[in-house]
Amino acid sequence: QVQLVESGGGLVQAGGSLRLSCAASRSIFSIDAWNWHRQAPGKQRELVASMTSRGTTNYADSVKGRFTISRDNAKNTVYLQMNSLKPEDTAVYYCNAPRGSIRWALGLEVWGQGTLVTVSS
């Protein structure tokens, strides 16, 4: 099993930046893909950023050019750098190792507990 713990959320003014961290309880070397999702109040959870095993990244149109997903295998941590934040970015952010990405448990999907980001106007 692996547990994920997000951190780095908080209150920031519009135009500001935050870096979210997703710390894993074990090595992420054998976890190939990662996602960051978010869920705003009253809205469905949405995928905002993803990274494949080859390092290919994809972003939702709403965050493209402002958010960057990255990983540091040595620190067992995945990051989401968020710049030029807007009030509409306010949400709980979740990291996720999707099903099929964990080599020793291909049927497993793991989520963190989420971290709240609030962007004031």
Side-chain angles (χ1 to χ4, degrees), residues 9 12 19 25 42 47 53 61 69 86 95 104 108 113:
V12 63
R19 188 178 77 160
S25 59
L47 176 65
S53 60
D61 288 342
I69 185 172
K86 304 175 181 180
C95 66
W104 75 88
L108 186 64
Q113 84 291 346

Side-chain angles (χ1 to χ4, degrees), residues 13-119:
Q13 287 189 332
S17 298
L18 285 174
R19 188 178 77 160
L20 305 184
S21 298
C22 173
S25 59
R26 58 182 291 178
S27 171
I28 66 170
F29 182 80
S30 297
I31 302 178
D32 292 331
W34 290 94
N35 297 324
W36 282 94
H37 302 250
R38 68 185 180 188
Q39 187 165 20
K43 295 189 177 181
Q44 290 189 330
R45 191 173 296 188
E46 63 171 336
L47 176 65
V48 295
S50 62
M51 172 179 281
T52 70
S53 60
R54 296 178 178 268
T56 302
T57 56
N58 289 284
Y59 300 93
D61 288 342
S62 58
V63 307
K64 201 170 293 184
R66 301 188 297 120
F67 288 13
T68 304
I69 185 172
S70 63
R71 63 188 290 169
D72 186 335
N73 288 348
K75 296 183 178 180
N76 298 329
T77 301
V78 178
Y79 301 99
L80 184 68
Q81 178 67 44
M82 306 186 297
N83 299 328
S84 301
L85 283 161
K86 304 175 181 180
E88 51 263 43
D89 295 318
T90 295
V92 178
Y93 285 74
Y94 301 89
C95 66
N96 160 240
R99 191 167 288 110
S101 67
I102 304 173
R103 296 181 203 168
W104 75 88
L106 292 176
L108 186 64
E109 181 173 38
V110 183
W111 291 82
Q113 84 291 346
T115 186
L116 176 63
V117 172
T118 304
V119 184

